[in-house]
Amino acid sequence: MKKKDIFTAPFVQEMEDTTANMYRLGWDERNGGNISYLLPEEEVAEYLDLHEVIRRIPTGFDAKPLIGKYFIVTGTGKYFKNVKGDPETNLGIIRIAEDGTTAELLWGFADGGRFTSELPAHLMSHISRLSVDPENRVVMHCHPTNLLAMTYVHPLDTNEFTHTLWQMSTECVVVFPDGVEVLPWMLCGTNAIGEATAECMTRARSVVWALHGLYGAGKTLDEAFGLVETVEKAATIYMLTAGLKRINTITDDQMKQLAVRFSITPRAGILK
């Protein structure tokens, strides 16, 4: 059976649009940021011959729980602004091989490139999120400007940071009732930061890398994007008001009312 044109695949077009928007919003300057998107095998099979492996690339991490899983991922050193114009060079579709430590490239990285250097952190986070939400499919890393600025001037305590963000907009406690996890500065591109992020991902879909950026997860690209968007909006409001005398705020009692109204359970230990 003739395969469909991969360039018309919804998951390729979604990646094109999402990366373009993230670049437009200033979240992913230069080659900053990366995305991994878990794809159903049957969907990939509509576009690619699953027996044709272009090359095999070590991942630097034993991802045995993900053996046989397919991902479309952004490439290392690639600029998000260029994905839409040349997806075959800037994106790749990989399958985690039977050894758990190798990625089989099925499409993309046409210039000989490879997946993001932070793929181990992504795979670890996918494993964590799937353990608590079997429908999770996306892990997204970016550098939202105001959230990054906020980590310079706000205590890096998970509960305090979450409470401040929740106070910045009525929708926040509804959009991310699980709060945000906050990690201190760590060397990026290492398994150590990946392991710390994955551990945080068992409790929340958002992990702040202090002085660096944010990891967000979701069932779809839209959900993960919307999560990052909401966290960044809250951080923007905080940075706009941080040097001013605050005479109004959203109270804990009001956030409890929101929780009842929208049938959500705010993370324990944050609201008084």
Side-chain angles (χ1 to χ4, degrees):
M1 182 182 295
K2 184 179 179 181
K3 300 295 182 182
K4 298 178 183 177
D5 181 0
I6 186 67
F7 295 101
T8 68
F11 50 83
V12 172
Q13 295 180 343
E14 283 182 85
M15 287 288 281
E16 292 177 6
D17 291 341
T18 300
T19 51
N21 272 326
M22 293 173 76
Y23 181 80
R24 176 181 58 82
L25 290 166
W27 299 352
D28 296 272
E29 71 292 336
R30 199 173 178 269
N31 63 318
N34 27 77
I35 302 174
S36 57
Y37 181 9
L38 175 61
L39 305 174
E41 178 176 322
E42 59 273 18
E43 192 172 348
V44 179
E46 293 181 29
Y47 300 91
L48 299 175
D49 183 341
L50 304 185
H51 299 291
E52 288 190 12
V53 176
I54 298 170
R55 51 195 164 95
R56 293 172 172 81
I57 312 170
T59 62
F61 168 64
D62 188 349
K64 280 191 172 61
L66 299 175
I67 287 173
K69 299 291 188 183
Y70 296 79
F71 296 88
I72 185 167
V73 298
T74 51
T76 186
K78 304 304 183 186
Y79 290 35
F80 273 22
K81 71 182 181 67
N82 295 333
V83 173
K84 200 172 188 69
D86 188 3
E88 192 171 14
T89 295
N90 295 284
L91 301 174
I93 295 175
I94 61 172
R95 175 176 59 212
I96 304 302
E98 286 299 317
D99 62 6
T101 62
T102 304
E104 298 172 331
L105 180 64
L106 303 177
W107 175 84
F109 304 142
D111 62 351
R114 53 184 286 153
F115 42 73
T116 169
S117 62
E118 289 177 353
L119 183 67
H122 279 252
L123 297 180
M124 293 177 201
S125 290
H126 276 287
I127 292 169
S128 287
R129 288 309 305 162
L130 288 168
S131 73
V132 296
D133 179 3
E135 295 183 6
N136 191 89
R137 294 177 63 190
V138 175
V139 172
M140 177 182 292
H141 171 55
C142 55
H143 308 153
T145 305
N146 289 284
L147 182 69
L148 177 56
M150 185 173 168
T151 65
Y152 283 85
V153 298
H154 190 285
L156 300 178
D157 174 83
T158 286
N159 284 4
E160 287 185 46
F161 210 94
T162 293
H163 190 270
T164 295
L165 291 174
W166 281 355
Q167 285 187 313
M168 293 302 105
S169 173
T170 298
E171 69 174 352
C172 287
V173 72
V174 179
V175 174
F176 53 101
D178 50 348
V180 298
E181 288 281 324
V182 182
L183 289 176
W185 186 91
M186 298 177 68
L187 185 63
C188 58
T190 65
N191 282 7
I193 196 170
E195 290 163 0
T197 303
E199 198 273 331
C200 290
M201 281 276 183
T202 62
R203 296 184 293 274
R205 293 170 300 137
S206 310
V207 182
V208 176
W209 284 7
L211 321 180
H212 183 147
L214 178 69
Y215 258 66
K219 296 179 178 66
T220 65
L221 279 171
D222 268 354
E223 184 179 80
F225 183 94
L227 176 64
V228 173
E229 196 172 31
T230 308
V231 172
E232 169 64 356
K233 170 63 75 67
T236 301
I237 297 168
Y238 174 80
M239 292 306 298
L240 286 170
T241 59
L244 304 174
K245 180 181 178 181
R246 190 185 302 176
I247 60 173
N248 301 302
T249 194
I250 300 171
T251 68
D252 286 21
D253 283 343
Q254 289 168 338
M255 285 189 267
K256 290 175 183 177
Q257 292 177 45
L258 286 165
V260 173
R261 171 66 179 82
F262 291 95
S263 301
I264 54 97
T265 304
R267 181 173 178 151
I270 296 177
L271 297 182
K272 305 296 186 292

